[in-house]
Amino acid sequence: MSNPHQPSPLSYVQPTANSPWGTYLSQVDRVVPYLGHLARWVETLKRPKRALIVDVPIELDNGDVAHFEGYRVQHNLSRGPGKGGVRFHPDVTLEEVMALSAWMTVKCAAVNLPYGGAKGGIRVDPKQLSHKELERMTRRYTSEIGIIIGPQRDIPAPDVNTNGQIMAWMMDTYSMNTGTTATGVVTGKPIHLGGSLGRIKATGRGVFVTGREAARRLGLDLNGARIAVQGFGNVGASAAELFAQAGGLIVAAQDHTGTIFNAHGFDMADLMAHVKASGGVGGFPGADVATLPIDHEAFWDVACDILIPAALEGQITAARAQRILARLVLEGANGPTVPAADDILADRGILVVPDVICNAGGVTVSYFEWVQDFSSFFWSEDEINLRLDKIMAGALKHIWDTADQHQITLRTATFAVACERILTAREERGLYP
Ligand code: NAD
């Protein structure tokens, strides 16, 4: 007979070992031995507090009506309002949004921001929509999730295929619906709508700061270091630019348009101009004859010192982990490494700076933006970058000390630091009623 006190598994997702929620659950299981008495609360982390699924109907330019499936998941609100991006992608599922929201809970606690974790998304290929259709879809989605978001409740931000324009529409829609000018309802806004200087490149900057600190500990000189980047969007391109400025050579880049390679490193100004003009790295002519397109899979065999996955989840599979030649992996993307691959990389002595600290620069400057919106007092870009550097380097040091103390990976150490904060808040608040 089943134990009536045993928590029942969630009925609305069927995670597998390598799926995003399955990956997250396995990461939580690994931290339990380090939670002490707080382990009694760990089930809290295995269930989202709230998951909203919405229908998003819009009229297309040709008069047809299209329906899209949208989500907003608030994984945990113990330490503050929900915080997390909104993704527009044809592969978005409830399970993926759940995992991304849970990683936000861990990430915000890892850098000690006063937020819980949330995430949203729409199952759509936004590249198939006109500008006006995209606006209508964004506004309808914002109205539908409007019942659970707000500056003190849950604050969305950009993620894959969303940007400052989408945030501006979200802010305007929420403001119209509530009869306010609610700048603090989203972050990643354009500057003149209460956006923060430094926000666009903040996630890439955080990847750079944690990478710089990790490289220092490994004795790896950034000047001349060979770097391969998967995903050349907001996160990947910003991180690549900063590493190039520090003397690094960007030797390989891959995005949805193709994969390019140059053993001598790309000219970053030329590459950025090409990406801006054509929408991706594919077809980059480069200046060097050694610049060759390499096929999708060969990206994982590139000789490099630092590998930056900055695209989507589940990219570093067990098979790819056996082949990676880098000394250091910086997880710009959320959930790029499946658990079995994590073990292989650790066995091979390849250091992984995990997503939950590596890409926390974006949410950190989002926090600065939210604070600036509340106080209506805006900081200089230098001030923001300095504060970001200090917070990220300090958080990584604390995590590294925890990893050394227990002889665990940086991922489990980040979860240990974060989960202690989350579950202490859970315990102190107590269960209602
Ligand atoms: P983006 O839309 O700006 O860029 C995504 C990039 O991934 C593009 O270059 C795209 O071509 C590439 N890509 C998509 N599918 C691919 C595939 N199958 N193979 C190779 N490349 C592919 O998105 P972003 O904001 O840079 O987000 C990238 C990752 O970083 C995501 O995992 C996101 O959750 C994470 N992240 C983003 C932020 C942020 O502030 N934007 C913060 C933290 C984490």
Side-chain angles (χ1 to χ4, degrees):
M1 208 178 88
S2 68
N3 176 352
H5 301 297
Q6 203 63 25
S8 57
L10 300 180
S11 68
Y12 50 90
V13 292
Q14 277 75 43
T16 60
N18 290 342
S19 68
W21 185 250
T23 296
Y24 165 74
L25 289 180
S26 135
Q27 292 166 350
V28 171
D29 285 340
R30 286 173 184 214
V31 80
V32 174
Y34 309 99
L35 292 179
H37 77 283
L38 291 170
R40 79 182 278 252
W41 295 101
V42 79
E43 190 64 24
T44 308
L45 299 170
K46 297 186 173 185
R47 315 175 159 254
K49 175 181 176 62
R50 194 175 280 139
L52 180 64
I53 305 177
V54 296
D55 176 35
V56 185
I58 62 159
E59 190 170 323
L60 300 177
D61 294 345
N62 68 7
D64 289 350
V65 176
H67 290 256
F68 302 98
E69 196 169 296
Y71 313 92
R72 186 73 189 171
V73 177
Q74 295 171 347
H75 172 259
N76 190 285
L77 305 180
S78 294
R79 303 181 72 251
K83 189 86 194 79
V86 172
R87 178 175 294 195
F88 290 173
H89 195 277
D91 297 336
V92 165
T93 61
L94 174 63
E95 196 213 307
E96 180 185 53
V97 178
M98 280 167 57
L100 292 166
S101 71
W103 284 319
M104 286 308 298
T105 303
V106 175
K107 194 181 305 179
C108 291
V111 276
N112 217 357
L113 305 178
Y115 288 135
K119 200 86 181 189
I122 305 181
R123 251 176 110 72
V124 63
D125 181 357
K127 295 181 180 73
Q128 304 299 321
L129 299 181
S130 71
H131 192 71
K132 278 285 160 203
E133 290 167 341
L134 189 62
E135 177 175 353
R136 286 197 286 276
M137 184 188 71
T138 303
R139 288 185 180 279
R140 181 61 188 252
Y141 168 71
T142 308
S143 276
E144 293 296 337
I145 65 166
I147 53 174
I148 61 168
I149 64 169
Q152 302 284 9
R153 307 173 83 189
D154 179 1
I155 307 115
D159 191 72
V160 174
N161 289 330
T162 57
N163 54 25
Q165 175 62 79
I166 306 275
M167 294 306 116
W169 289 329
M170 291 188 76
M171 174 267 184
D172 183 69
T173 304
Y174 181 87
S175 296
M176 290 299 113
N177 287 345
T178 54
T180 55
T181 302
T183 52
V185 68
V186 287
T187 57
K189 300 179 294 293
I191 297 297
H192 38 276
L193 285 181
S196 176
L197 295 169
R199 172 62 185 90
I200 292 175
K201 296 192 170 180
T203 307
R205 184 172 291 279
V207 172
F208 173 74
V209 170
T210 53
R212 182 194 68 205
E213 296 300 304
R216 188 174 51 75
R217 287 176 183 253
L218 289 180
L220 171 64
D221 191 353
L222 288 186
N223 191 20
R226 296 159 306 164
I227 298 158
V229 188
Q230 188 203 36
F232 217 74
N234 178 305
V235 179
S238 306
E241 271 191 306
L242 287 166
F243 278 108
Q245 280 166 23
L249 303 174
I250 311 303
V251 295
Q254 177 177 78
D255 69 6
H256 72 286
T257 65
T259 308
I260 54 171
F261 171 72
N262 185 331
H264 306 295
F266 304 119
D267 180 305
M268 278 304 288
D270 286 355
L271 179 55
M272 295 301 289
H274 174 81
V275 170
K276 198 169 174 205
S278 72
V281 302
F284 176 57
D288 197 297
V289 286
T291 302
L292 299 167
I294 52 173
D295 69 42
H296 196 81
E297 229 5 79
F299 174 80
W300 304 98
D301 300 316
V302 166
C304 62
D305 301 297
I306 301 176
L307 173 68
I308 307 178
L312 298 170
E313 302 92 74
Q315 293 298 302
I316 304 187
T317 58
R320 288 172 177 171
Q322 298 281 11
R323 292 157 44 196
I324 287 170
L325 295 169
R327 291 173 65 189
L328 179 59
V329 174
L330 303 176
E331 292 189 338
N334 285 306
T337 310
V338 305
D342 238 354
D343 295 338
I344 293 166
L345 293 175
D347 287 347
R348 294 186 58 216
I350 297 172
L351 182 70
V352 178
V353 181
D355 49 5
V356 275
I357 178 65
C358 189
N359 69 33
V363 72
T364 302
V365 176
S366 274
Y367 168 61
F368 296 163
E369 179 174 335
W370 185 72
V371 168
Q372 291 171 87
D373 287 341
F374 273 120
S375 57
S376 295
F377 180 76
F378 291 87
W379 313 343
S380 72
E381 189 159 359
D382 281 352
E383 197 173 351
I384 284 158
N385 290 345
L386 267 173
R387 283 181 193 252
L388 172 64
D389 204 306
K390 198 171 163 205
I391 288 180
M392 295 291 292
L396 184 64
K397 181 180 181 311
H398 182 47
I399 288 162
W400 216 296
D401 291 345
T402 306
D404 287 346
Q405 185 193 338
H406 297 295
Q407 292 297 300
I408 52 180
T409 62
L410 287 180
R411 190 185 314 281
T412 302
T414 310
F415 269 70
V417 167
C419 293
E420 187 185 344
R421 289 176 180 153
I422 301 158
L423 299 181
T424 299
R426 172 68 285 160
E427 184 170 71
E428 286 172 351
R429 286 178 68 158
L431 283 182
Y432 175 88

